[in-house]
Amino acid sequence: SGAGMAAVRDVEIDPEGTFKYILVRLQRPGGEEQRDIVRGTKAAEFHNHIFEKVNPEMEKLGYECKCLGGGKIDHNSKDKKIRVFGLSTGYGKADHSVTVEILKKVYTDYEITWSDDKK
């Protein structure tokens, strides 16, 4: 059901700091319905640690997950700014422009930018 997918939050990232993130595509097995979500946390030393947490959660809800790439997020909640940059060695670079569009749905009053910079 569409409600199931709607129950999954678009974005789950740390409230502050610089950390790794991944862009994940959710899909119903055999279904047309799909959407992309953003997950990031300082707790993850490597990008695959984030995926290894998200994947079983989503499988329980009946979704297949595919990591579309990763990078880093710099989240400054005081100034309401988010910067998306960098890449994942294992998964490659996420399309940061897509990530920004997803972040904008949640952080509506933020200035959100992206670049291909490594730092």
Side-chain angles (χ1 to χ4, degrees):
S1 74
M5 199 173 267
V8 177
R9 288 205 295 244
D10 288 313
V11 178
E12 282 181 21
I13 59 171
D14 287 0
E16 190 65 47
T18 304
F19 45 84
K20 292 183 167 67
Y21 93 89
I22 57 172
L23 185 60
V24 179
R25 175 155 293 165
L26 303 183
Q27 195 155 12
R28 285 272 184 224
E32 289 299 300
E33 185 194 15
Q34 60 177 43
R35 69 180 259 227
D36 299 341
I37 60 171
V38 174
R39 294 292 184 267
T41 176
K42 275 194 280 262
E45 191 187 346
F46 300 106
H47 286 89
N48 62 306
H49 292 170
I50 308 172
F51 189 74
E52 282 160 15
K53 186 175 173 294
V54 174
N55 198 33
E57 287 173 9
M58 296 304 148
E59 281 183 343
K60 273 195 205 108
L61 297 170
Y63 300 112
E64 289 172 347
C65 284
K66 185 170 142 205
C67 183
L68 301 178
K72 283 186 170 172
I73 286 176
D74 182 21
H75 188 174
N76 182 336
S77 53
K78 186 168 67 72
D79 295 341
K80 296 197 168 182
K81 286 185 176 177
I82 293 177
R83 188 168 70 94
V84 184
F85 64 102
L87 53 85
S88 159
T89 315
Y91 294 121
K93 185 176 80 74
D95 185 339
H96 296 326
S97 63
V98 171
T99 302
V100 166
E101 290 311 309
I102 297 168
L103 290 168
K104 280 179 178 170
K105 289 191 217 172
V106 178
Y107 295 94
T108 50
D109 56 346
Y110 268 61
E111 181 192 323
I112 306 175
T113 58
W114 69 271
S115 76
D116 288 331
D117 297 347
K118 299 286 189 286
K119 292 184 167 40

mmCIF file of all heavy atoms in Angstrom, residues 9-57:
data_model
loop_
_atom_site.group_PDB
_atom_site.id
_atom_site.type_symbol
_atom_site.label_atom_id
_atom_site.label_comp_id
_atom_site.label_asym_id
_atom_site.label_seq_id
_atom_site.Cartn_x
_atom_site.Cartn_y
_atom_site.Cartn_z
ATOM 1 N N ARG A 9 10.138 7.858 6.675
ATOM 2 C CA ARG A 9 10.547 9.259 6.622
ATOM 3 C C ARG A 9 11.523 9.514 5.476
ATOM 4 O O ARG A 9 12.418 8.706 5.226
ATOM 5 C CB ARG A 9 11.190 9.662 7.947
ATOM 6 C CG ARG A 9 10.163 9.767 9.069
ATOM 7 C CD ARG A 9 10.632 10.710 10.152
ATOM 8 N NE ARG A 9 11.833 10.184 10.813
ATOM 9 C CZ ARG A 9 11.885 9.835 12.095
ATOM 10 N NH1 ARG A 9 10.822 9.940 12.861
ATOM 11 N NH2 ARG A 9 13.011 9.398 12.613
ATOM 12 N N ASP A 10 11.329 10.651 4.801
ATOM 13 C CA ASP A 10 12.195 11.039 3.683
ATOM 14 C C ASP A 10 13.646 11.174 4.136
ATOM 15 O O ASP A 10 14.565 10.804 3.420
ATOM 16 C CB ASP A 10 11.765 12.398 3.110
ATOM 17 C CG ASP A 10 10.472 12.306 2.331
ATOM 18 O OD1 ASP A 10 10.362 11.388 1.507
ATOM 19 O OD2 ASP A 10 9.572 13.138 2.554
ATOM 20 N N VAL A 11 13.808 11.751 5.319
ATOM 21 C CA VAL A 11 15.151 12.090 5.796
ATOM 22 C C VAL A 11 15.321 11.671 7.250
ATOM 23 O O VAL A 11 14.457 11.938 8.086
ATOM 24 C CB VAL A 11 15.391 13.621 5.714
ATOM 25 C CG1 VAL A 11 16.761 13.991 6.261
ATOM 26 C CG2 VAL A 11 15.237 14.121 4.287
ATOM 27 N N GLU A 12 16.427 11.009 7.524
ATOM 28 C CA GLU A 12 16.857 10.804 8.910
ATOM 29 C C GLU A 12 18.345 11.107 8.956
ATOM 30 O O GLU A 12 19.160 10.310 8.484
ATOM 31 C CB GLU A 12 16.584 9.368 9.366
ATOM 32 C CG GLU A 12 15.134 9.118 9.731
ATOM 33 C CD GLU A 12 14.882 7.684 10.199
ATOM 34 O OE1 GLU A 12 15.846 7.004 10.610
ATOM 35 O OE2 GLU A 12 13.718 7.259 10.122
ATOM 36 N N ILE A 13 18.670 12.292 9.472
ATOM 37 C CA ILE A 13 20.074 12.692 9.593
ATOM 38 C C ILE A 13 20.315 13.276 10.982
ATOM 39 O O ILE A 13 19.375 13.717 11.645
ATOM 40 C CB ILE A 13 20.495 13.719 8.514
ATOM 41 C CG1 ILE A 13 19.643 14.987 8.582
ATOM 42 C CG2 ILE A 13 20.433 13.095 7.123
ATOM 43 C CD1 ILE A 13 20.132 16.129 7.710
ATOM 44 N N ASP A 14 21.568 13.305 11.378
ATOM 45 C CA ASP A 14 21.918 13.903 12.662
ATOM 46 C C ASP A 14 21.577 15.392 12.661
ATOM 47 O O ASP A 14 21.675 16.056 11.625
ATOM 48 C CB ASP A 14 23.417 13.734 12.943
ATOM 49 C CG ASP A 14 23.783 12.303 13.315
ATOM 50 O OD1 ASP A 14 22.883 11.445 13.357
ATOM 51 O OD2 ASP A 14 24.981 12.043 13.556
ATOM 52 N N PRO A 15 21.203 15.912 13.837
ATOM 53 C CA PRO A 15 20.790 17.308 13.924
ATOM 54 C C PRO A 15 21.936 18.320 13.803
ATOM 55 O O PRO A 15 21.690 19.508 13.665
ATOM 56 C CB PRO A 15 20.135 17.405 15.298
ATOM 57 C CG PRO A 15 20.709 16.282 16.075
ATOM 58 C CD PRO A 15 20.995 15.194 15.099
ATOM 59 N N GLU A 16 23.163 17.842 13.868
ATOM 60 C CA GLU A 16 24.300 18.763 13.899
ATOM 61 C C GLU A 16 25.574 18.051 13.470
ATOM 62 O O GLU A 16 25.728 16.862 13.720
ATOM 63 C CB GLU A 16 24.459 19.310 15.321
ATOM 64 C CG GLU A 16 25.439 20.455 15.484
ATOM 65 C CD GLU A 16 25.009 21.712 14.743
ATOM 66 O OE1 GLU A 16 23.841 22.115 14.844
ATOM 67 O OE2 GLU A 16 25.864 22.289 14.057
ATOM 68 N N GLY A 17 26.479 18.787 12.824
ATOM 69 C CA GLY A 17 27.803 18.249 12.527
ATOM 70 C C GLY A 17 27.976 17.805 11.090
ATOM 71 O O GLY A 17 27.101 17.999 10.250
ATOM 72 N N THR A 18 29.130 17.206 10.831
ATOM 73 C CA THR A 18 29.466 16.699 9.500
ATOM 74 C C THR A 18 29.549 15.180 9.566
ATOM 75 O O THR A 18 30.190 14.642 10.460
ATOM 76 C CB THR A 18 30.816 17.277 9.029
ATOM 77 O OG1 THR A 18 30.734 18.702 9.063
ATOM 78 C CG2 THR A 18 31.138 16.831 7.609
ATOM 79 N N PHE A 19 28.884 14.518 8.641
ATOM 80 C CA PHE A 19 28.790 13.057 8.706
ATOM 81 C C PHE A 19 28.518 12.475 7.337
ATOM 82 O O PHE A 19 28.124 13.178 6.413
ATOM 83 C CB PHE A 19 27.691 12.637 9.692
ATOM 84 C CG PHE A 19 26.415 13.423 9.549
ATOM 85 C CD1 PHE A 19 25.462 13.063 8.597
ATOM 86 C CD2 PHE A 19 26.180 14.533 10.340
ATOM 87 C CE1 PHE A 19 24.293 13.793 8.459
ATOM 88 C CE2 PHE A 19 25.016 15.278 10.195
ATOM 89 C CZ PHE A 19 24.064 14.907 9.258
ATOM 90 N N LYS A 20 28.716 11.181 7.226
ATOM 91 C CA LYS A 20 28.457 10.458 5.982
ATOM 92 C C LYS A 20 26.956 10.284 5.778
ATOM 93 O O LYS A 20 26.200 10.165 6.741
ATOM 94 C CB LYS A 20 29.125 9.085 6.044
ATOM 95 C CG LYS A 20 30.650 9.161 6.023
ATOM 96 C CD LYS A 20 31.252 7.757 6.017
ATOM 97 C CE LYS A 20 32.730 7.809 5.677
ATOM 98 N NZ LYS A 20 33.532 8.461 6.721
ATOM 99 N N TYR A 21 26.564 10.264 4.504
ATOM 100 C CA TYR A 21 25.153 10.005 4.200
ATOM 101 C C TYR A 21 25.070 9.118 2.959
ATOM 102 O O TYR A 21 26.004 9.041 2.167
ATOM 103 C CB TYR A 21 24.391 11.325 3.969
ATOM 104 C CG TYR A 21 24.322 11.743 2.520
ATOM 105 C CD1 TYR A 21 23.286 11.306 1.697
ATOM 106 C CD2 TYR A 21 25.300 12.554 1.948
ATOM 107 C CE1 TYR A 21 23.232 11.668 0.354
ATOM 108 C CE2 TYR A 21 25.250 12.928 0.609
ATOM 109 C CZ TYR A 21 24.217 12.472 -0.176
ATOM 110 O OH TYR A 21 24.160 12.817 -1.494
ATOM 111 N N ILE A 22 23.922 8.439 2.821
ATOM 112 C CA ILE A 22 23.649 7.687 1.598
ATOM 113 C C ILE A 22 22.248 8.033 1.087
ATOM 114 O O ILE A 22 21.358 8.413 1.846
ATOM 115 C CB ILE A 22 23.770 6.156 1.776
ATOM 116 C CG1 ILE A 22 22.847 5.637 2.886
ATOM 117 C CG2 ILE A 22 25.215 5.753 2.020
ATOM 118 C CD1 ILE A 22 22.771 4.116 2.985
ATOM 119 N N LEU A 23 22.115 7.907 -0.238
ATOM 120 C CA LEU A 23 20.835 8.067 -0.915
ATOM 121 C C LEU A 23 20.357 6.648 -1.230
ATOM 122 O O LEU A 23 21.075 5.883 -1.870
ATOM 123 C CB LEU A 23 21.052 8.873 -2.190
ATOM 124 C CG LEU A 23 19.850 9.291 -3.027
ATOM 125 C CD1 LEU A 23 18.897 10.174 -2.219
ATOM 126 C CD2 LEU A 23 20.319 10.042 -4.265
ATOM 127 N N VAL A 24 19.164 6.310 -0.757
ATOM 128 C CA VAL A 24 18.659 4.940 -0.889
ATOM 129 C C VAL A 24 17.347 4.938 -1.666
ATOM 130 O O VAL A 24 16.453 5.737 -1.385
ATOM 131 C CB VAL A 24 18.432 4.299 0.504
ATOM 132 C CG1 VAL A 24 17.880 2.880 0.364
ATOM 133 C CG2 VAL A 24 19.725 4.287 1.312
ATOM 134 N N ARG A 25 17.254 4.031 -2.635
ATOM 135 C CA ARG A 25 16.001 3.874 -3.386
ATOM 136 C C ARG A 25 15.214 2.703 -2.814
ATOM 137 O O ARG A 25 15.722 1.602 -2.674
ATOM 138 C CB ARG A 25 16.284 3.630 -4.863
ATOM 139 C CG ARG A 25 15.030 3.338 -5.669
ATOM 140 C CD ARG A 25 15.213 3.703 -7.117
ATOM 141 N NE ARG A 25 15.358 5.144 -7.275
ATOM 142 C CZ ARG A 25 15.810 5.722 -8.394
ATOM 143 N NH1 ARG A 25 16.159 4.996 -9.423
ATOM 144 N NH2 ARG A 25 15.890 7.038 -8.466
ATOM 145 N N LEU A 26 13.960 2.984 -2.465
ATOM 146 C CA LEU A 26 13.051 1.943 -1.983
ATOM 147 C C LEU A 26 12.134 1.528 -3.107
ATOM 148 O O LEU A 26 11.642 2.367 -3.848
ATOM 149 C CB LEU A 26 12.174 2.479 -0.847
ATOM 150 C CG LEU A 26 12.860 3.063 0.374
ATOM 151 C CD1 LEU A 26 11.805 3.451 1.399
ATOM 152 C CD2 LEU A 26 13.865 2.104 0.961
ATOM 153 N N GLN A 27 11.921 0.235 -3.203
ATOM 154 C CA GLN A 27 11.004 -0.264 -4.231
ATOM 155 C C GLN A 27 10.249 -1.464 -3.706
ATOM 156 O O GLN A 27 10.796 -2.290 -2.987
ATOM 157 C CB GLN A 27 11.805 -0.655 -5.475
ATOM 158 C CG GLN A 27 10.940 -0.845 -6.695
ATOM 159 C CD GLN A 27 11.731 -0.622 -7.976
ATOM 160 O OE1 GLN A 27 12.953 -0.534 -7.967
ATOM 161 N NE2 GLN A 27 11.020 -0.525 -9.090
ATOM 162 N N ARG A 28 8.976 -1.523 -4.079
ATOM 163 C CA ARG A 28 8.189 -2.727 -3.793
ATOM 164 C C ARG A 28 8.629 -3.799 -4.778
ATOM 165 O O ARG A 28 8.649 -3.525 -5.992
ATOM 166 C CB ARG A 28 6.702 -2.455 -4.004
ATOM 167 C CG ARG A 28 6.077 -1.630 -2.916
ATOM 168 C CD ARG A 28 5.578 -2.488 -1.798
ATOM 169 N NE ARG A 28 4.897 -1.696 -0.790
ATOM 170 C CZ ARG A 28 5.081 -1.866 0.509
ATOM 171 N NH1 ARG A 28 5.941 -2.761 0.950
ATOM 172 N NH2 ARG A 28 4.423 -1.144 1.382
ATOM 173 N N PRO A 29 8.963 -4.989 -4.299
ATOM 174 C CA PRO A 29 9.332 -6.059 -5.236
ATOM 175 C C PRO A 29 8.237 -6.259 -6.280
ATOM 176 O O PRO A 29 7.076 -6.451 -5.932
ATOM 177 C CB PRO A 29 9.473 -7.290 -4.336
ATOM 178 C CG PRO A 29 9.743 -6.742 -2.975
ATOM 179 C CD PRO A 29 9.013 -5.427 -2.909
ATOM 180 N N GLY A 30 8.617 -6.148 -7.538
ATOM 181 C CA GLY A 30 7.651 -6.330 -8.623
ATOM 182 C C GLY A 30 6.726 -5.148 -8.827
ATOM 183 O O GLY A 30 5.888 -5.171 -9.721
ATOM 184 N N GLY A 31 6.843 -4.118 -8.008
ATOM 185 C CA GLY A 31 5.957 -2.961 -8.129
ATOM 186 C C GLY A 31 6.624 -1.799 -8.837
ATOM 187 O O GLY A 31 7.834 -1.750 -8.955
ATOM 188 N N GLU A 32 5.793 -0.876 -9.305
ATOM 189 C CA GLU A 32 6.312 0.304 -9.996
ATOM 190 C C GLU A 32 6.737 1.367 -8.990
ATOM 191 O O GLU A 32 7.598 2.189 -9.259
ATOM 192 C CB GLU A 32 5.224 0.899 -10.910
ATOM 193 C CG GLU A 32 4.938 0.044 -12.129
ATOM 194 C CD GLU A 32 6.166 -0.126 -13.011
ATOM 195 O OE1 GLU A 32 6.691 0.888 -13.505
ATOM 196 O OE2 GLU A 32 6.600 -1.278 -13.198
ATOM 197 N N GLU A 33 6.055 1.336 -7.847
ATOM 198 C CA GLU A 33 6.226 2.390 -6.855
ATOM 199 C C GLU A 33 7.648 2.407 -6.300
ATOM 200 O O GLU A 33 8.166 1.390 -5.866
ATOM 201 C CB GLU A 33 5.227 2.118 -5.726
ATOM 202 C CG GLU A 33 5.164 3.171 -4.671
ATOM 203 C CD GLU A 33 4.414 2.710 -3.414
ATOM 204 O OE1 GLU A 33 4.198 1.492 -3.248
ATOM 205 O OE2 GLU A 33 4.085 3.578 -2.619
ATOM 206 N N GLN A 34 8.267 3.584 -6.334
ATOM 207 C CA GLN A 34 9.592 3.699 -5.723
ATOM 208 C C GLN A 34 9.801 5.109 -5.209
ATOM 209 O O GLN A 34 9.145 6.047 -5.655
ATOM 210 C CB GLN A 34 10.682 3.330 -6.725
ATOM 211 C CG GLN A 34 10.724 4.200 -7.965
ATOM 212 C CD GLN A 34 11.892 3.823 -8.875
ATOM 213 O OE1 GLN A 34 12.155 2.652 -9.094
ATOM 214 N NE2 GLN A 34 12.579 4.818 -9.396
ATOM 215 N N ARG A 35 10.661 5.245 -4.246
ATOM 216 C CA ARG A 35 11.041 6.582 -3.805
ATOM 217 C C ARG A 35 12.425 6.560 -3.184
ATOM 218 O O ARG A 35 12.924 5.502 -2.790
ATOM 219 C CB ARG A 35 10.021 7.165 -2.856
ATOM 220 C CG ARG A 35 9.939 6.514 -1.518
ATOM 221 C CD ARG A 35 8.865 7.209 -0.701
ATOM 222 N NE ARG A 35 9.452 8.135 0.251
ATOM 223 C CZ ARG A 35 9.078 8.178 1.529
ATOM 224 N NH1 ARG A 35 8.136 7.379 1.973
ATOM 225 N NH2 ARG A 35 9.638 9.015 2.349
ATOM 226 N N ASP A 36 13.034 7.735 -3.124
ATOM 227 C CA ASP A 36 14.388 7.850 -2.605
ATOM 228 C C ASP A 36 14.380 8.523 -1.230
ATOM 229 O O ASP A 36 13.600 9.451 -1.001
ATOM 230 C CB ASP A 36 15.251 8.664 -3.574
ATOM 231 C CG ASP A 36 15.342 8.005 -4.947
ATOM 232 O OD1 ASP A 36 15.065 6.791 -5.029
ATOM 233 O OD2 ASP A 36 15.684 8.696 -5.922
ATOM 234 N N ILE A 37 15.214 7.999 -0.357
ATOM 235 C CA ILE A 37 15.314 8.548 0.993
ATOM 236 C C ILE A 37 16.778 8.852 1.324
ATOM 237 O O ILE A 37 17.689 8.296 0.717
ATOM 238 C CB ILE A 37 14.721 7.584 2.053
ATOM 239 C CG1 ILE A 37 15.461 6.240 2.048
ATOM 240 C CG2 ILE A 37 13.217 7.390 1.829
ATOM 241 C CD1 ILE A 37 15.085 5.306 3.198
ATOM 242 N N VAL A 38 16.971 9.742 2.284
ATOM 243 C CA VAL A 38 18.310 10.161 2.705
ATOM 244 C C VAL A 38 18.532 9.722 4.148
ATOM 245 O O VAL A 38 17.690 9.951 5.016
ATOM 246 C CB VAL A 38 18.456 11.702 2.599
ATOM 247 C CG1 VAL A 38 19.790 12.165 3.164
ATOM 248 C CG2 VAL A 38 18.295 12.155 1.156
ATOM 249 N N ARG A 39 19.673 9.073 4.382
ATOM 250 C CA ARG A 39 20.030 8.642 5.732
ATOM 251 C C ARG A 39 21.490 9.007 6.007
ATOM 252 O O ARG A 39 22.363 8.734 5.180
ATOM 253 C CB ARG A 39 19.868 7.108 5.877
ATOM 254 C CG ARG A 39 18.425 6.619 5.754
ATOM 255 C CD ARG A 39 17.591 7.083 6.939
ATOM 256 N NE ARG A 39 16.225 6.581 6.925
ATOM 257 C CZ ARG A 39 15.190 7.233 6.386
ATOM 258 N NH1 ARG A 39 15.390 8.383 5.768
ATOM 259 N NH2 ARG A 39 13.969 6.738 6.459
ATOM 260 N N GLY A 40 21.732 9.603 7.160
ATOM 261 C CA GLY A 40 23.104 9.960 7.496
ATOM 262 C C GLY A 40 23.310 10.090 8.986
ATOM 263 O O GLY A 40 22.411 10.534 9.709
ATOM 264 N N THR A 41 24.493 9.703 9.448
ATOM 265 C CA THR A 41 24.788 9.800 10.873
ATOM 266 C C THR A 41 26.288 9.754 11.151
ATOM 267 O O THR A 41 27.036 9.089 10.440
ATOM 268 C CB THR A 41 24.090 8.668 11.664
ATOM 269 O OG1 THR A 41 24.478 8.753 13.032
ATOM 270 C CG2 THR A 41 24.483 7.304 11.132
ATOM 271 N N LYS A 42 26.666 10.472 12.189
ATOM 272 C CA LYS A 42 28.060 10.449 12.644
ATOM 273 C C LYS A 42 28.448 9.078 13.182
ATOM 274 O O LYS A 42 29.621 8.743 13.233
ATOM 275 C CB LYS A 42 28.252 11.458 13.785
ATOM 276 C CG LYS A 42 28.522 12.881 13.310
ATOM 277 C CD LYS A 42 29.044 13.742 14.444
ATOM 278 C CE LYS A 42 27.952 14.225 15.348
ATOM 279 N NZ LYS A 42 27.492 15.585 15.076
ATOM 280 N N ALA A 43 27.447 8.314 13.607
ATOM 281 C CA ALA A 43 27.707 6.991 14.187
ATOM 282 C C ALA A 43 28.320 6.037 13.162
ATOM 283 O O ALA A 43 28.946 5.047 13.522
ATOM 284 C CB ALA A 43 26.426 6.401 14.751
ATOM 285 N N ALA A 44 28.125 6.345 11.878
ATOM 286 C CA ALA A 44 28.623 5.461 10.819
ATOM 287 C C ALA A 44 30.052 5.842 10.447
ATOM 288 O O ALA A 44 30.306 6.952 9.990
ATOM 289 C CB ALA A 44 27.731 5.561 9.597
ATOM 290 N N GLU A 45 30.963 4.899 10.640
ATOM 291 C CA GLU A 45 32.342 5.129 10.241
ATOM 292 C C GLU A 45 32.475 5.016 8.725
ATOM 293 O O GLU A 45 33.248 5.728 8.100
ATOM 294 C CB GLU A 45 33.248 4.111 10.939
ATOM 295 C CG GLU A 45 34.722 4.430 10.809
ATOM 296 C CD GLU A 45 35.614 3.318 11.366
ATOM 297 O OE1 GLU A 45 35.108 2.427 12.081
ATOM 298 O OE2 GLU A 45 36.813 3.355 11.059
ATOM 299 N N PHE A 46 31.704 4.102 8.142
ATOM 300 C CA PHE A 46 31.705 3.893 6.693
ATOM 301 C C PHE A 46 30.281 3.973 6.164
ATOM 302 O O PHE A 46 29.327 3.717 6.904
ATOM 303 C CB PHE A 46 32.312 2.520 6.337
ATOM 304 C CG PHE A 46 33.729 2.357 6.792
ATOM 305 C CD1 PHE A 46 34.021 1.558 7.884
ATOM 306 C CD2 PHE A 46 34.760 3.014 6.141
ATOM 307 C CE1 PHE A 46 35.332 1.403 8.316
ATOM 308 C CE2 PHE A 46 36.076 2.872 6.562
ATOM 309 C CZ PHE A 46 36.366 2.073 7.658
ATOM 310 N N HIS A 47 30.145 4.280 4.878
ATOM 311 C CA HIS A 47 28.818 4.426 4.282
ATOM 312 C C HIS A 47 28.000 3.135 4.386
ATOM 313 O O HIS A 47 26.789 3.189 4.584
ATOM 314 C CB HIS A 47 28.934 4.855 2.812
ATOM 315 C CG HIS A 47 29.340 6.287 2.650
ATOM 316 N ND1 HIS A 47 30.660 6.672 2.578
ATOM 317 C CD2 HIS A 47 28.610 7.420 2.566
ATOM 318 C CE1 HIS A 47 30.718 7.995 2.440
ATOM 319 N NE2 HIS A 47 29.486 8.476 2.420
ATOM 320 N N ASN A 48 28.676 1.982 4.256
ATOM 321 C CA ASN A 48 27.916 0.729 4.280
ATOM 322 C C ASN A 48 27.307 0.445 5.657
ATOM 323 O O ASN A 48 26.339 -0.289 5.764
ATOM 324 C CB ASN A 48 28.754 -0.455 3.794
ATOM 325 C CG ASN A 48 29.963 -0.720 4.673
ATOM 326 O OD1 ASN A 48 30.766 0.172 4.917
ATOM 327 N ND2 ASN A 48 30.089 -1.941 5.138
ATOM 328 N N HIS A 49 27.848 1.066 6.711
ATOM 329 C CA HIS A 49 27.245 0.893 8.038
ATOM 330 C C HIS A 49 25.831 1.475 8.060
ATOM 331 O O HIS A 49 24.946 0.937 8.724
ATOM 332 C CB HIS A 49 28.087 1.587 9.117
ATOM 333 C CG HIS A 49 29.424 0.941 9.335
ATOM 334 N ND1 HIS A 49 30.405 1.508 10.105
ATOM 335 C CD2 HIS A 49 29.935 -0.223 8.871
ATOM 336 C CE1 HIS A 49 31.476 0.724 10.102
ATOM 337 N NE2 HIS A 49 31.206 -0.327 9.359
ATOM 338 N N ILE A 50 25.646 2.573 7.333
ATOM 339 C CA ILE A 50 24.311 3.184 7.273
ATOM 340 C C ILE A 50 23.373 2.244 6.522
ATOM 341 O O ILE A 50 22.259 1.963 6.967
ATOM 342 C CB ILE A 50 24.341 4.561 6.578
ATOM 343 C CG1 ILE A 50 25.397 5.473 7.210
ATOM 344 C CG2 ILE A 50 22.958 5.216 6.639
ATOM 345 C CD1 ILE A 50 25.623 6.783 6.453
ATOM 346 N N PHE A 51 23.845 1.747 5.375
ATOM 347 C CA PHE A 51 23.010 0.856 4.558
ATOM 348 C C PHE A 51 22.650 -0.413 5.327
ATOM 349 O O PHE A 51 21.510 -0.889 5.258
ATOM 350 C CB PHE A 51 23.712 0.508 3.247
ATOM 351 C CG PHE A 51 22.821 -0.230 2.290
ATOM 352 C CD1 PHE A 51 21.813 0.444 1.616
ATOM 353 C CD2 PHE A 51 22.967 -1.588 2.066
ATOM 354 C CE1 PHE A 51 20.968 -0.231 0.736
ATOM 355 C CE2 PHE A 51 22.127 -2.267 1.194
ATOM 356 C CZ PHE A 51 21.124 -1.579 0.525
ATOM 357 N N GLU A 52 23.613 -0.949 6.068
ATOM 358 C CA GLU A 52 23.373 -2.189 6.819
ATOM 359 C C GLU A 52 22.328 -2.005 7.907
ATOM 360 O O GLU A 52 21.715 -2.968 8.359
ATOM 361 C CB GLU A 52 24.689 -2.697 7.425
ATOM 362 C CG GLU A 52 25.564 -3.399 6.395
ATOM 363 C CD GLU A 52 27.037 -3.491 6.805
ATOM 364 O OE1 GLU A 52 27.346 -3.268 7.998
ATOM 365 O OE2 GLU A 52 27.876 -3.750 5.922
ATOM 366 N N LYS A 53 22.109 -0.762 8.338
ATOM 367 C CA LYS A 53 21.069 -0.486 9.323
ATOM 368 C C LYS A 53 19.718 -0.276 8.634
ATOM 369 O O LYS A 53 18.689 -0.771 9.079
ATOM 370 C CB LYS A 53 21.453 0.743 10.139
ATOM 371 C CG LYS A 53 20.520 1.031 11.285
ATOM 372 C CD LYS A 53 21.019 2.189 12.130
ATOM 373 C CE LYS A 53 19.990 2.590 13.174
ATOM 374 N NZ LYS A 53 18.759 3.158 12.566
ATOM 375 N N VAL A 54 19.733 0.475 7.539
ATOM 376 C CA VAL A 54 18.493 0.820 6.827
ATOM 377 C C VAL A 54 17.872 -0.396 6.146
ATOM 378 O O VAL A 54 16.657 -0.608 6.206
ATOM 379 C CB VAL A 54 18.767 1.914 5.755
ATOM 380 C CG1 VAL A 54 17.518 2.168 4.914
ATOM 381 C CG2 VAL A 54 19.235 3.195 6.410
ATOM 382 N N ASN A 55 18.719 -1.201 5.501
ATOM 383 C CA ASN A 55 18.225 -2.309 4.678
ATOM 384 C C ASN A 55 17.286 -3.264 5.420
ATOM 385 O O ASN A 55 16.167 -3.509 4.955
ATOM 386 C CB ASN A 55 19.418 -3.041 4.048
ATOM 387 C CG ASN A 55 19.012 -3.893 2.866
ATOM 388 O OD1 ASN A 55 18.099 -3.561 2.127
ATOM 389 N ND2 ASN A 55 19.694 -5.000 2.694
ATOM 390 N N PRO A 56 17.689 -3.795 6.585
ATOM 391 C CA PRO A 56 16.768 -4.711 7.285
ATOM 392 C C PRO A 56 15.485 -4.024 7.753
ATOM 393 O O PRO A 56 14.416 -4.632 7.733
ATOM 394 C CB PRO A 56 17.585 -5.217 8.480
ATOM 395 C CG PRO A 56 18.821 -4.403 8.545
ATOM 396 C CD PRO A 56 19.004 -3.713 7.234
ATOM 397 N N GLU A 57 15.592 -2.754 8.148
ATOM 398 C CA GLU A 57 14.392 -2.010 8.569
ATOM 399 C C GLU A 57 13.391 -1.950 7.426
ATOM 400 O O GLU A 57 12.190 -2.131 7.610
ATOM 401 C CB GLU A 57 14.766 -0.567 8.961
ATOM 402 C CG GLU A 57 15.494 -0.430 10.286
ATOM 403 C CD GLU A 57 15.982 1.013 10.530
ATOM 404 O OE1 GLU A 57 15.612 1.925 9.748
ATOM 405 O OE2 GLU A 57 16.741 1.213 11.493
#
